[in-house]
Amino acid sequence: YKVGNWQFAAGRDHTNLGAWNTAYHHGTWLQPTIARPRALRFEDDFGVLPVHWIGAYATYTKPLTQGSIIVNAAVGNGRGEIVDDILTGGDIDDGKAVMLRVEAADVGANNLRFGVTAIGESIPAQPATIRPALPDQSITELVTTAFVSYRGEVVTFISEGHLVTHLADGDRWNTFDGF
């Protein structure tokens, strides 16, 4: 639903992580490389990022003299019992994942986009039969992404960095990937 500078959506969608996941999500024959970047593999292809989202979005676009600032907020189902479990029918806990994305589009040059995304959620505890690492421990997950892209007629440039931080039982693990 779109009204004025606002847009609202709900359902299953592609997570607004950066430039690639929104531009080429299922567009293998459109993407400029042979395969998806490793950081953005689908959940069932050993991907570590939540590239699919089931929930509701609200997006506000603020026009500028040149370009626009786009702010996107979302709430949705979090991770499932295992990393490739995309929860389409509900969540496995009472909490929801939340996402905030801020992007500048066409600011400084046409077709130039840059921005950041953050996703936070609490992953509920699972028994050792489901999650042998950290059994019976809830995990706090924070996914942060920074990106810049330029898609022109002659040259295309996309760069993204993804940091996934997990906190559990007083310990912290960071996973970084980028392209």
Side-chain angles (χ1 to χ4, degrees), residues 113-174:
R113 302 175 86 92
F114 54 92
V116 294
T117 304
I119 301 172
E121 75 166 300
S122 178
I123 302 169
Q126 296 295 325
T129 56
I130 293 175
R131 189 172 64 215
L134 297 172
D136 304 317
Q137 297 286 321
S138 63
I139 302 170
T140 299
E141 179 179 67
L142 178 63
V143 177
T144 52
T145 296
F147 67 93
V148 61
S149 74
Y150 176 79
R151 293 181 5 182
E153 292 181 26
V154 177
V155 89
T156 295
F157 172 84
I158 300 173
S159 183
E160 298 183 16
H162 306 276
L163 175 63
V164 181
T165 300
H166 289 112
L167 304 167
D169 196 29
D171 291 320
R172 175 186 180 131
W173 298 269
N174 291 316

Side-chain angles (χ1 to χ4, degrees), residues 3-16:
V3 57
N5 293 348
W6 288 92
Q7 184 172 337
F8 303 94
R12 182 175 173 153
D13 205 350
H14 308 137
T15 310
N16 285 329

Side-chain angles (χ1 to χ4, degrees), residues 79-85 87 92 123-127 130-131:
R79 300 270 196 176
E81 291 180 345
I82 57 174
V83 72
D84 66 348
D85 187 12
L87 302 174
I92 60 174
I123 302 169
Q126 296 295 325
I130 293 175
R131 189 172 64 215

